[in-house]
């Protein structure tokens, strides 16, 4: 029972991270119909940006104790940074390819990903050594059920992730810009004819997705004491799993991405705890293949039959 | 009525709540020329998709030359002798005009992939036969001169005719043409009419034709089926159909 | 395309024409080994090996991604499976039979200053056998991976094949350490041996058999098969699937069958490339060989060359292999430059170097003449 609760706690924590990142994939896929391979690198940027900024702030201010609001400030800084980069990437690399075959866009995305990775790896930027972020959230156990400890860190992370997701859900389904996003996702041409500013909506989507990625990166850096170097394959794998979450939930579907993220988190954590931890990637990709074979549009997605 | 080559009985199809085709029946005699008309969205193209196996009917029976086609994939139906063109042209755009036709000859070849890789005599013989046959077809459609051009670079009317040539290359018993005159100018339409007659004489195929241009349909077809909202509202000779009040109503609307 | 049919050639002449290219292939491979190899330093020789192996990978992937337009992103998975399978065969057979894992004879033995045995000695025969088995094992997996392509399209298939590569990687990571003593090998059963391929430490001790001869023999055979497929009725069927699957099916092309075939053939050659790779001096075969980074490399070659162009894939394989070498002077920035080049090519030359055509097709260069003379290009000849 204790192990079960502990695993559940871990699954929720990691699942909400996957969900946050999956949202970025799903929104871009929903609108432009391609896998934005560079998304995981924006997550990296979020993690490293937070790390560098937090260190710089601590050094210059010389606090004896980290103020409670620093975490929020760092997160906002990371979101601004990632949002800007996301905006630029879309404008400079993807926009010229609006009419190109999808495979070109996919290759470009791989190119952007390589570019961000290797730029991040430069000594003048983040370097190639792992580093760790200063403690921004108190290292406390806030509750204990049996042997299971509920950490402050996990609660803050889960809370942040959930509130961002609820915010996004509200934005997509309750606001004017959300309606425009859904219209463009449904059919860009028609949306354009109806007066929706398609380019602006796409930019907005990228910025939004990148900000969520920044949040994911930030929380990741907080959760794991060691942040790996930007070109570490672990990051790409993280991105892939988040993408799998998006596909499993139903690509293009915002609520599906959240559901998929949690599903992947649960599968991975319980698989690791009860079966074998070294095979956790295998579970994730096997789930992907099974879902795609039996329900190709994902859990919440709707099938579209090609009209002839 | 003479022996029917293509037969459909009580074929229905729904998309979600929309009943796109209901209780469609057809009996197309060998070498017959049958028209399928109806307002936009009546379900004509859906009938083609059901006949050729792109969609599967929720009920009903389809047979070609006495053999049931139900459950067969489109390529099996092509092998059985059913060929079609598409309303929104679906040529192999990046490939040459000749290749477009040669691909349709593929299903009648019998040599193996290994024999193609080793360039065995059988492969060479069949490849030569394919080229000969394809060029003959392109000759008939006046496209031989453009054989090496990319299909997408052809003018619209030529693309429509290339689609017919390609369909004929599968050696069909029955040919389904989806709005072949769409986008053609009056002169091209007159030529097309002659061409369709010629196709039937020369290749001995039965033809089922969807067309919005009444001039083309009424002049060409021996029998006509009229669809509206998926229902067959009239069927018979052109004269009969033209004077049917339900048909007039469907086309002009009631007020 | 000439309209008049050439006179029917006799059986002998057509057999000669059918097999001639394979004879030429052996000739090229011998020249590479006997004439080229002794006259270059080890480092450029290694580059030549890399280029050859990358050519095989790129040309084989062209058959899936280029011909049929299915987007496979797990090509490295097939390569790794082939590499591990053939490596396990040569290593453990040598251990069992000769009690040691080193190469016996082989093209490389001369180069390494060994006893300089004639070419097709026992070791080389074993190597060739292992290559083919590696290819067949990979092809079997290609069949399994090709099956989802019947139901999945585009990006979904891409992500499934990518997942396949990752599964291969993780599964290889779980294997046990390599058995290093002849005693242990003799005691293990045949079925146990394939599970002892080193896990995450990598498979070390595979004998070095790969030489320019084998690699360029592989390159030539891959090229002949790819090219003959492309210019046959089967190749046109492949290409029709990429152009318009629904129309292809309506014209009688059994799209499911050919999609799976494309996967099987491509996986076979990727497996061969893997075998060549794993028997190369100075190469550590590790689970990372199956990772997506390696698959991306191959995809980049295929797209850069022009989807469906065989000669384009070869040109791109050469460029992609050499580019990092050329950029060695700016070591820190070379991957950044590489990435930027990739993005710029996709934006400004979206069809890759040659589009679907080959270098020697006139239409490939039509855009050049159009730019110069300002007139429309004449229709390009095919074949
Ligand atoms: N794949 C599909 N999914 C959902 N609805 C479909 C699909 N295919 C056709 N329909 C619907 O079925 C109805 C009939 O369509 P169909 O294309 O057969 O009409 P049509 O008679 O060919 O019209 P047109 O003259 O415009 O070509 C239309 O309402 C169409 O929207
Ligand atoms: Mg229609």
């Amino acid at each position: 029972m204790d192990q079960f609760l502990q695993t559940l706690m871990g699954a929720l924590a990691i699942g909400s991270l996957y969900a946050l990142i999956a949202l970025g994939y799903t929104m871009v896929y929903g609108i432009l119909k391609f896998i934005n391979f560079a998304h995981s690198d924006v997550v990296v940027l979020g993690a490293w940006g937070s790390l560098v900024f937090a260190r710089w702030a601590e050094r210059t201010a010389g606090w004896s104790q980290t103020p409670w609001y620093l975490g929020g400030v760092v997160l906002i800084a990371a979101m601004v940074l990632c949002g800007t980069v996301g905006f630029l990437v879309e404008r400079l690399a993807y926009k010229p390819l609006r009419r190109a075959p999808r495979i070109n866009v996919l290759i470009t995305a791989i190119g952007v990903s390589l570019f961000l990775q290797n730029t991040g790896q430069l000594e003048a930027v983040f370097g190639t050594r792992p580093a760790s972020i200063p403690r921004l959230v108190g290292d406390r156990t806030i509750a204990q059920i049996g042997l299971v400890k509920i950490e402050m860190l996990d609660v803050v992370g889960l809370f942040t992730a959930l509130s961002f997701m609820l915010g996004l859900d509200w934005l997509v389904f309750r606001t004017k810009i959300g309606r425009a996003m859904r219209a463009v996702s449904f059919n860009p041409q028609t949306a354009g004819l109806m007066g929706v500013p398609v380019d602006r909506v796409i930019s907005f989507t990228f910025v939004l997705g990148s900000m969520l990625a920044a949040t994911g990166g930030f929380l990741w850096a907080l959760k794991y004491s060691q942040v790996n170097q930007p070109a570490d394959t672990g990051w790409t794998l993280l991105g892939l799993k988040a993408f799998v979450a998006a596909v499993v939930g139903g690509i293009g579907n915002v609520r599906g991405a959240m559901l998929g993220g949690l599903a992947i988190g649960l599968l991975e954590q319980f698989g690791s705890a009860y079966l074998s931890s070294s095979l956790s990637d295998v579970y994730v990709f096997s789930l992907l293949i099974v879902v795609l074979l039996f329900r190709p549009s994902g859990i919440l997605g709707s099938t579209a039959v090609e009209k002839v | 009525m003479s022996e029917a080559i293509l037969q459909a009985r009580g074929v229905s199809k729904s998309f979600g709540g929309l009943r796109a085709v209901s209780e469609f029946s057809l009996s197309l005699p060998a070498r017959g020329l049958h028209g399928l008309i109806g307002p936009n969205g009546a379900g004509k193209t859906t009938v083609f998709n059901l006949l050729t196996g792109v969609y599967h009917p929720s009920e009903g029976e389809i047979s070609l030359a006495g053999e049931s086609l139900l459950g067969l994939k489109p390529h099996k139906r092509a092998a059985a002798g059913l060929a079609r063109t598409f309303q929104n042209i679906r040529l192999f755009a990046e490939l040459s005009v000749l290749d477009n036709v040669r691909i349709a000859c593929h299903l009648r070849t019998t040599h193996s992939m290994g024999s193609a890789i080793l360039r065995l005599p059988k492969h060479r013989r069949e490849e030569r036969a394919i080229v000969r046959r394809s060029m003959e077809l392109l000759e008939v459609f006046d496209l031989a001169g453009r054989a090496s051009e990319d299909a997408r670079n052809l003018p619209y009317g030529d693309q429509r005719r290339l689609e017919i040539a390609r369909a004929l290359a599968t050696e069909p018993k029955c040919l389904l043409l989806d709005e072949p005159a769409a986008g053609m100018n009056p002169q091209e339409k007159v030529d097309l009419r002659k061409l369709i007659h010629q196709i039937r004489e020369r290749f001995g195929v039965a033809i089922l034709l969807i067309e919005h241009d009444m001039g083309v349909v009424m002049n060409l077809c021996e029998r006509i089926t009229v669809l509206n909202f998926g229902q067959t509202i009239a069927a018979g000779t052109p004269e009969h159909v033209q004077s049917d009040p339900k048909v007039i109503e469907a086309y002009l609307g009631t007020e | 395309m000439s309209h008049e049919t050439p006179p029917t050639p006799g059986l002998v002449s057509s057999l000669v024409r059918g097999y001639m290219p394979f004879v030429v292939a052996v000739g090229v491979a011998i020249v590479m080994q006997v004439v080229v190899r002794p006259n270059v330093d080890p480092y450029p020789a290694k580059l030549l090996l890399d280029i050859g192996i990358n050519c095989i990978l790129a040309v084989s992937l062209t058959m899936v991604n280029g011909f049929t337009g299915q987007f496979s992103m797990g090509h490295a998975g097939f390569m790794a499976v082939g590499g591990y399978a053939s490596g396990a065969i040569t290593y453990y057979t040598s251990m069992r039979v000769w009690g040691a894992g080193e190469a016996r004879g082989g093209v490389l033995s001369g180069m390494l200053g060994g006893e300089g045995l004639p070419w097709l000695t026992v070791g080389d025969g074993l190597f060739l056998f292992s290559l083919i088995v590696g290819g067949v094992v990979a092809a079997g997996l290609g069949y399994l991976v090709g099956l989802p392509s019947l139901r999945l399209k585009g990006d979904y298939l891409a992500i499934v094949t990518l997942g396949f590569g990752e599964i291969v990687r993780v599964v290889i990571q779980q294997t046990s350490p390599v058995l290093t003593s002849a005693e242990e090998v003799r005691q293990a059963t045949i079925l146990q041996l394939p599970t002892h391929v080193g896990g995450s430490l990598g498979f070390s001790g595979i004998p070095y058999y790969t030489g320019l001869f084998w690699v360029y023999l592989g390159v030539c055979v891959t090229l002949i098969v790819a090219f003959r497929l492309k210019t046959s009725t089967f190749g046109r069927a492949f290409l029709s699937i990429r152009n318009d699957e629904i129309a292809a099916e309506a014209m009688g092309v059994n799209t499911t069958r050919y999609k799976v075939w494309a996967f099987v053939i491509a996986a076979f050659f990727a497996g061969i490339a893997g075998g060549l790779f794993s028997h190369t001096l100075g190469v550590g075969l590790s689970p990372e060989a199956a990772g997506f980074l390696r698959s991306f490399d191959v995809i980049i070659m295929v797209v850069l060359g022009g989807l469906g162009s065989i000669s384009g894939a070869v040109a791109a394989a050469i460029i992609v292999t050499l580019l990092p070498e050329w950029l060695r002077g700016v070591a820190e920035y070379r991957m950044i430059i590489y990435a930027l080049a990739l993005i710029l090519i996709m934006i400004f030359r979206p069809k890759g170097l040659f589009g679907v055509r080959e270098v020697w097709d006139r239409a490939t260069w039509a855009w050049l003449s159009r730019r110069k003379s300002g007139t429309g290009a004449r229709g390009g000849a095919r074949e």
Side-chain angles (χ1 to χ4, degrees), chain A residues 29 33-35 37 92-93 96-97 102-104 106-108 110-112 114-115 118-119 122-123 233 236-237 240 243 247 251 278-279 281-282 285-286 288-289 292-293 296 306 308, chain C residues 65 71 73 148 151-152 154-156 158-160 162-164 166-167 169-171 174 246 288 292-293 296 299-300 303 307 332-333 335-336 338-340 342-343 346-347 349-351:
Chain A
Y29 194 96
K33 304 285 180 285
F34 80 96
I35 307 171
F37 271 104
L92 299 178
L97 292 168
R102 270 153 65 179
I103 178 160
N104 286 57
L106 203 66
I107 300 283
T108 309
I110 296 174
V112 172
L114 286 176
F115 177 79
N118 289 286
T119 311
L122 293 176
E123 280 313 319
T233 49
T236 319
L237 210 56
L240 281 178
F243 182 76
V247 174
I251 193 97
S278 49
L279 289 176
D281 295 349
V282 173
F285 286 109
S286 308
L288 170 78
I289 293 173
L292 283 183
L293 285 181
E306 188 177 356
V308 178
Chain C
N65 292 17
F71 203 68
M73 296 181 76
R151 301 198 54 171
L152 301 174
D155 301 349
Y156 288 106
I159 210 80
V160 164
L162 199 147
F164 155 77
E166 283 307 296
I167 291 177
R169 187 177 64 85
V170 177
V171 168
Q174 307 308 313
I246 289 175
E288 302 312 316
F292 48 82
L293 290 178
F296 284 0
I299 290 172
I300 287 168
V303 176
L307 271 178
E332 214 190 351
Y333 298 98
M335 283 308 287
I336 299 178
Y338 179 72
L340 279 179
L342 201 62
I343 298 171
M346 284 301 108
I347 294 176
R349 192 124 176 80
K351 298 246 149 172

Side-chain angles (χ1 to χ4, degrees), chain B residues 56-114:
Chain B
H56 293 283
S58 28
E59 55 205 86
E61 168 61 37
I62 299 168
S63 62
L64 185 72
E67 302 281 325
S68 172
L69 293 179
L70 282 188
L72 292 188
K73 289 197 164 189
H75 72 91
K76 284 265 169 65
R77 299 191 193 202
L82 200 56
R84 73 176 290 184
T85 66
F86 294 90
Q87 178 173 2
N88 47 339
I89 299 177
R90 279 178 173 269
L91 287 169
F92 305 121
E94 290 178 358
L95 302 180
S96 73
V97 168
L98 177 62
D99 282 349
N100 267 272
V101 181
R102 285 203 281 181
I103 285 164
C105 295
H106 176 72
L107 87 162
R108 304 287 172 209
T109 59
T110 55
H111 67 278
S112 69
M113 216 180 275

Side-chain angles (χ1 to χ4, degrees), chain A residues 22 93 152 202 204 245 285:
Chain A
M152 177 80 159
I202 292 176
F204 179 77
F285 286 109

Side-chain angles (χ1 to χ4, degrees), chain A residues 70-93:
Chain A
L70 182 60
V73 175
V74 169
L75 175 57
I76 290 171
M79 284 169 73
V80 171
L81 175 69
C82 291
T84 313
V85 169
F87 175 80
L88 290 177
V89 163
E90 196 278 321
R91 272 295 142 106
L92 299 178

Side-chain angles (χ1 to χ4, degrees), chain B residues 44-45 87 178-179 210:
Chain B
K44 306 179 294 292
T45 301
Q87 178 173 2
D178 199 343
E179 303 198 16
I210 296 179

Side-chain angles (χ1 to χ4, degrees), chain C residues 19-83:
Chain C
Y19 292 110
M20 204 53 208
F22 292 101
V23 177
V24 174
V26 175
V28 169
I30 293 176
V31 168
M32 289 303 287
Q33 184 69 36
V34 177
V35 182
V36 177
R37 181 62 194 91
N39 293 308
V40 294
D41 292 331
Y43 185 65
K46 175 72 170 55
L47 278 183
L48 280 174
L49 279 185
D50 289 346
I51 287 175
I53 291 174
N54 280 340
C55 278
I56 300 178
L57 287 172
V59 171
S60 58
L61 189 63
T62 291
M63 296 186 226
V64 177
N65 292 17
F67 292 2
T68 62
Q70 303 301 297
F71 203 68
S72 166
M73 296 181 76
H75 212 50
F78 299 122
M79 172 185 150
V81 166

Side-chain angles (χ1 to χ4, degrees), chain A residues 21-278:
Chain A
I21 304 169
L23 284 168
Y25 283 107
T26 232
M27 287 195 295
V28 169
Y29 194 96
I31 289 190
L32 294 177
K33 304 285 180 285
F34 80 96
I35 307 171
N36 181 14
F37 271 104
H39 191 63
S40 64
D41 301 287
V42 179
V43 177
V44 179
L45 186 68
W48 275 91
S50 311
L51 190 156
V52 169
F53 185 74
R55 282 187 166 182
W56 172 82
E58 282 212 320
R59 222 180 24 248
T60 40
W63 291 299
S64 56
Q65 206 202 347
T66 316
W68 60 270
Y69 56 81
L70 182 60
V73 175
V74 169
L75 175 57
I76 290 171
M79 284 169 73
V80 171
L81 175 69
C82 291
T84 313
V85 169
F87 175 80
L88 290 177
V89 163
E90 196 278 321
R91 272 295 142 106
L92 299 178
Y94 299 149
K95 192 161 173 242
L97 292 168
R98 257 331 121 65
R99 286 175 199 293
R102 270 153 65 179
I103 178 160
N104 286 57
V105 192
L106 203 66
I107 300 283
T108 309
I110 296 174
V112 172
S113 170
L114 286 176
F115 177 79
L116 291 177
Q117 271 176 23
N118 289 286
T119 311
Q121 229 184 350
L122 293 176
E123 280 313 319
V125 187
F126 302 131
T128 53
R129 275 172 302 280
S132 55
I133 194 166
R135 285 248 160 267
L136 297 176
V137 177
D139 196 7
R140 272 188 296 140
T141 305
I142 50 175
Q144 185 154 5
I145 311 167
L147 287 174
V148 182
K149 290 183 187 142
I150 295 182
E151 305 284 347
M152 177 80 159
L153 198 64
D154 284 340
V155 173
V156 170
L158 203 58
F159 180 76
T160 315
L162 285 179
S163 50
F164 272 73
M165 286 189 263
L166 289 179
L168 183 76
D169 196 77
W170 173 80
L171 189 96
V172 169
F173 290 100
R174 289 287 134 80
T175 63
K176 203 168 156 219
I177 182 81
R179 184 141 29 98
M181 284 167 69
R182 281 181 290 140
V184 174
S185 150
F186 189 70
N187 186 334
Q189 276 83 35
T190 318
L193 292 174
M194 306 297 249
V196 177
V198 176
D199 279 334
R200 229 180 303 157
V201 171
I202 292 176
S203 289
F204 179 77
T205 309
F206 264 86
V207 171
L208 205 60
S210 302
M211 287 181 159
L212 292 173
T215 315
F218 169 78
L219 294 175
W220 185 274
L222 283 188
K223 187 164 165 51
Y224 298 97
S225 49
Q226 177 160 308
V227 180
N228 280 328
Q229 65 128 324
D232 192 89
T233 49
W235 291 116
T236 319
L237 210 56
L238 169 68
L240 281 178
K241 285 189 197 164
F243 182 76
V244 170
V247 174
V248 166
I251 193 97
N253 186 315
V254 170
R255 289 174 187 166
M258 303 179 198
L259 197 67
L262 290 179
I264 296 287
L266 288 170
L267 175 75
E268 194 184 73
Q269 293 300 310
F270 278 95
S272 301
Y274 291 95
L275 297 170
S276 151
S277 62
S278 49

